[in-house]
Amino acid sequence: MHLRVKALESVLVEKGFVDPAALDAVIELYAEKVGPKNGAQVVARAWTDPAFRARLLEDATSAVAELGFTGSQGEHVVAVENTETLHNLVVCTLCSCYPWPLLGLPPVWYKSNAYRSRAVIDPRGVLKEFGVELGEQTEIRVWDSTAEVRYLVIPQRPAGTQALDEAQLATRVTRNGMIGTALL
Amino acid sequence: MPEFPATPFGAPERPPFAEPWQAQAFALAVQLHAQGAFTWPEWSQALGAALAAGGDDADYYDCWVAALERLASERGLASAGVLGDRKQAWADAYRRTPHGKPVEL
């Protein structure tokens, strides 16, 4: 496979369609810099700043841009909030659409056929495999991310965290929590 | 039964790319998109089709490369013939280059 990629890259570079330095910059950005810490910052801000939370639920793309989180595959983000009676779960049934600027690149299981095909049909069963058991009274809403709309789950703020500040709260937010496959 | 291991934030995670070619292929798609070669909806259609064709055992980044090749060919950036020849040229170059020397065409 590496020869096929090498062939693609060398032809595209030769024809001037891509710049090798820009390729390196892209790899560095996504391998090292962009990750779920960004999304965690957004969630912590939403928990501590009601005005920000309102803006986030109204227009997440603009709200996360306030924190500097813009870029490829973050062009249109929608935030969905978990409550006592509603749990949100995100999948991309077609491929692997995911809000890169907020969560980095998706984990292996998110891209798997198993998750993509089962999350919609049997969300409760899938959540159980993640160790998440929700009461019957909790509604589960499954959101299918697409190239046009990518979803970020705002998990419920954990109990007993009233004394924590925004930065401390951010450390409590997990990547899976923001996909909906974990509770905090 | 497939496993969906929950990775707590802050715990060591698998790096996003298992091998360098995956990172290169990823970056090629991001760059071609930035250059306007295709839109994200077009990309997700192509990747989705490659994943569907690959079935349960498909390797994600193999499908990624297949989607890239298809779009590069459809958009007239690099035909399948040109890519096949170039792949062969690289294979030959790897074979004839002595160990420790940079591989060049």
Side-chain angles (χ1 to χ4, degrees):
Chain A
M1 193 53 63
H2 101 270
L3 287 176
R4 271 167 73 182
V5 176
K6 193 113 181 121
L8 255 173
E9 182 181 344
S10 61
V11 170
L12 293 170
V13 166
E14 212 168 82
K15 293 191 174 180
F17 293 124
V18 294
D19 167 11
L23 291 179
D24 289 344
V26 168
I27 293 169
E28 198 194 337
L29 181 66
Y30 288 98
E32 289 161 26
K33 294 189 180 139
V34 178
K37 273 186 185 165
N38 293 357
Q41 226 177 299
V42 170
V43 170
R45 174 71 55 91
W47 284 343
T48 51
D49 178 344
F52 178 78
R53 174 181 164 274
R55 290 199 296 282
L56 184 67
L57 292 172
E58 172 76 29
D59 174 1
T61 315
S62 309
V64 302
E66 292 173 26
L67 301 181
F69 304 138
T70 58
S72 263
Q73 308 232 347
E75 291 88 352
H76 187 190
V77 180
V78 169
V80 290
E81 191 179 42
N82 288 348
T83 67
E84 282 300 323
T85 52
L86 173 68
H87 183 84
N88 296 285
L89 178 69
V90 182
V91 63
C92 168
T93 55
L94 176 64
C95 52
S96 50
C97 295
Y98 195 71
W100 293 351
L102 297 173
L103 299 182
L105 299 182
V108 172
W109 56 260
Y110 185 85
K111 303 181 286 191
S112 71
N113 230 340
Y115 181 75
R116 292 190 292 118
S117 57
R118 288 183 42 218
V120 174
I121 306 168
D122 179 23
R124 236 170 248 279
V126 166
L127 283 171
K128 215 168 182 173
E129 284 174 51
F130 277 96
V132 175
E133 299 221 31
L134 298 169
E136 283 303 318
Q137 74 288 354
T138 303
E139 181 196 344
I140 301 176
R141 218 171 272 173
V142 182
W143 301 88
D144 195 357
S145 263
T146 66
E148 276 103 8
V149 187
R150 287 140 206 276
Y151 297 94
L152 176 76
V153 174
I154 311 295
Q156 282 190 279
R157 181 171 173 165
T161 55
Q162 290 79 357
L164 302 188
D165 67 18
E166 193 179 317
Q168 291 167 323
L169 283 169
T171 67
R172 303 289 294 268
V173 183
T174 64
R175 194 250 334 261
N176 285 11
M178 293 181 280
I179 303 174
T181 53
L183 301 174
L184 305 186
Chain B
M1 187 59 74
E3 268 187 58
F4 304 130
T7 309
F9 174 64
E13 283 196 31
R14 252 195 281 190
F17 308 112
E19 295 179 47
W21 65 264
Q22 298 178 346
Q24 294 298 123
F26 169 77
L28 281 171
V30 173
Q31 269 298 296
L32 288 178
H33 170 265
Q35 307 284 344
F38 46 75
T39 64
W40 285 132
E42 288 166 340
W43 170 254
S44 104
Q45 285 300 328
L47 179 58
L51 288 166
D56 274 352
D57 299 324
D59 175 81
Y60 178 75
Y61 276 105
D62 286 357
C63 296
W64 186 284
V65 172
L68 258 184
E69 288 175 336
R70 195 185 113 197
L71 282 174
S73 159
E74 280 177 10
R75 304 296 144 109
L77 308 177
S79 71
V82 165
L83 290 176
D85 291 348
R86 182 61 61 93
K87 183 184 161 213
Q88 191 54 50
W90 278 113
D92 295 342
Y94 274 94
R95 259 193 298 276
R96 68 167 181 264
T97 306
H99 186 71
K101 301 270 186 233
V103 181
E104 282 165 0
L105 286 182

